[in-house]
């Protein structure tokens, strides 16, 4: 038993080392001396200290996410060969929301491609709460390492009660208040860091953006993105301001930020006058807007007026193809390192 | 049993109403429409929208704390007469730190004066961890409604482990990550809000300072003060920036704040050029500095250079006599309303 545990641990360490100590690595919290990536580790090898003399570097989240997913697929194969097991994810979807269906489908597809086991548990829109609560049976399933209840849930269901029913050790979304408290508090370590904030930070690191001491503005304060992103940036020693719908002078505050992460869900909210020249802009917003010229009759836009921002920022994520793909890649990294925090804390 | 519970509930409601619906009331979270105190409810009846043409209003925390403590004493008497019970606090002190001894003594004295039962559990500096962990026996003691482990603990003790051993329902300090997560997350409610941040907010409300939409800067990000204060201000819809030791331009950021709460523990850190004219300044810092002319050879100073700030701010807390007394008064309010959150959420 002890030997098996040791073997598993060694494998996890190997994965951790391979994924994380690579030049594009996720980096440790509370280790400021390794936060500034060396110039030759940057990818792409572009200085972000430019002003508005040239267009911003486009942060290609899709490319980075593919790289991460490919690395994970290799590691899952190695894991299977070594210990005959693979990580498992249970995904619960209640109802027929089209956007939720798309998200869930993408997550399951990503698991399949990486060789990760996925269980899809679909429930009808009007199902009783007890039926949703019964998914807590996955808590005891040793082949399942993460449980994901796709939000939002239908109105008649108690989201807090349902999320509380999930084992903290399998709360791969990291939305449990205990996880959030541990993310917020110094000297504590969360088991899981929510995927989207994690993806944002990973993009910053991959592009050699120093966080410590920088002024960061997070626009939006949702439990899913804004809040954990602000806590995570603060954990990396940024000076964080949180701008929201009741902020009186959002453009003024945002225009002093070196790093802007926006998750307001308001198309084209952030115009060029909101941005300091040379700022790094991470756009989490993903809003469908009508577009008859598009194949599906709509296209996705972010919170940032991209055409304007690209002239002012030093680096910017596009929508789509920026943060979105990173969210799924981060979900996979959490599954391959079931203890979750290891990949951020363990080197 | 049900009748007894009902009676207790009614009493709690009565207390809640008396303390909280008074003109100087604590106000509800997530109820922005009652955040702006009507002018005739202000105490003192002074407009805080002044500029630096006149000195700041001095926010007399001592006076307000005495008022709160007196109200609580009355309610404890009523509670005793009605149900024959009083709230109980267990205070655990490990070691001989003089400052901790003073804090503990003050808390116990305040309990006594209010008619609240207090149990003082003193342990030697070198006591084993198990001895400290045994205080978790208070978790099952029905006469104890709050357990307080005075921090910091001696180095050899695992603070996280010891605090985790306390029942969440009796974690009157509110330092449990679950409590902190619930404080941070929208749609969740913490059982207890840490006393010092609660005292800061109470002072703002008593002086009719609107929080919603205002720019607030919190200086310092400790788990005990800075973090929960920033989360609480955000909960009241301020736009919050957290400034800390690694912030590059703290004076620049702070000088744009309508509300400054400083808890850095650095004497005279905040000079007049850090403050916007008319800002409201809450100084949590309490540092002893040598002063041969003082009775004890030292005096307490805050983070703010008071003499300068009083010329710029519209209102300011002195040190001592500002936030300090409020911390203890807030501790008592938590004990008289054992469910803790009621006094902030339940009206």
């Amino acid at each position: 038993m002890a030997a098996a545990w040791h073997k598993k641990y060694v494998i996890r360490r190997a994965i951790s080392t391979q994924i994380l100590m690579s030049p594009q690595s996720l980096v440790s919290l509370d280790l400021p001396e390794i936060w500034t990536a060396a110039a030759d580790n940057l990818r792409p090898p572009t200085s972000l200290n430019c002003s508005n003399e040239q267009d911003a570097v486009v942060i290609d989240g899709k490319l980075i996410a593919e790289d991460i997913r490919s690395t994970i697929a290799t590691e899952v194969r190695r894991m299977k060969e070594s210990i005959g097991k693979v990580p498992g994810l249970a995904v619960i979807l209640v109802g027929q929301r089209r956007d939720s269906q798309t998200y869930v489908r993408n997550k399951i597809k990503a698991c399949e491609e990486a060789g990760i086991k996925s269980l899809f548990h679909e429930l009808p829109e009007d199902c009783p709460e007890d039926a949703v609560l019964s998914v807590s049976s996955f808590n005891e399933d040793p082949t399942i390492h993460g449980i994901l209840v796709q939000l939002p849930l239908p109105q008649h269901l108690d989201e807090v009660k349902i999320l509380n029913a999930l084992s903290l050790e399998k709360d791969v979304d990291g939305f449990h208040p205990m996880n959030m408290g541990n993310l917020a508090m110094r000297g504590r370590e969360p088991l899981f860091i929510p995927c989207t904030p994690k993806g944002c930070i990973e993009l910053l690191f991959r592009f050699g953006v120093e966080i410590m001491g920088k002024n960061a503005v997070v626009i939006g304060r949702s439990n899913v993105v804004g809040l954990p992103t602000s806590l995570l940036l603060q954990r990396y020693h940024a000076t964080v301001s949180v701008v929201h719908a009741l902020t009186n002078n959002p453009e003024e505050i945002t225009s002093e930020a070196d790093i802007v992460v926006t998750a307001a869900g308001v198309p084209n909210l952030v115009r060029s006058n909101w941005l300091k020249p040379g700022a790094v802009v991470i756009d989490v917003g993903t809003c469908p807007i009508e577009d008859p010229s598009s194949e599906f009759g709509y296209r996705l836009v972010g919170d940032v007026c991209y055409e304007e921002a690209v002239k002012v920022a030093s680096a910017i994520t596009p929508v789509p193809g920026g943060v979105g793909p990173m969210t799924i890649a981060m979900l996979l990294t959490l599954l391959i390192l079931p203890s979750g925090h290891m990949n951020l804390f363990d080197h």
Side-chain angles (χ1 to χ4, degrees), chain A residues 9-83:
Chain A
Y9 178 74
V10 168
I11 289 168
R12 282 192 204 166
R13 287 286 308 176
I15 295 166
S16 172
T17 306
Q18 173 149 351
I19 297 180
L20 306 173
M21 297 306 279
S22 67
Q24 308 83 24
S25 79
L26 290 161
V27 299
S28 166
L29 298 177
D30 291 320
L31 285 172
E33 64 277 17
I34 61 161
W35 291 350
T36 315
D40 58 354
N41 284 348
L42 300 185
R43 177 188 155 162
T46 308
S47 166
L48 296 180
N49 297 319
C50 54
S51 69
N52 55 356
E53 289 165 16
Q54 59 186 79
D55 277 5
V57 170
V58 178
I59 299 179
D60 188 339
K62 200 173 167 198
L63 197 67
I64 295 170
E66 278 169 10
D67 181 35
I68 294 171
R69 285 167 64 171
S70 156
T71 308
I72 290 172
T74 306
E75 294 309 321
V76 172
R77 273 197 302 277
R78 278 180 46 182
M79 187 187 272
K80 194 172 183 181
E81 287 162 14
S82 302
I83 57 171

Side-chain angles (χ1 to χ4, degrees), chain A residues 10 17 32 39 41 74-75 106 110 133 150 154-155 211 217 240 243 266 268 276 280 290 299 307 319:
Chain A
V10 168
T17 306
N41 284 348
T74 306
E75 294 309 321
N106 289 342
L133 285 170
Q150 187 66 42
Q155 285 284 327
I211 299 177
V217 162
V240 182
V243 162
V266 180
N268 294 320
K276 177 162 115 176
V280 176
E290 275 187 41
R299 64 188 170 93
E307 295 72 18
V319 176

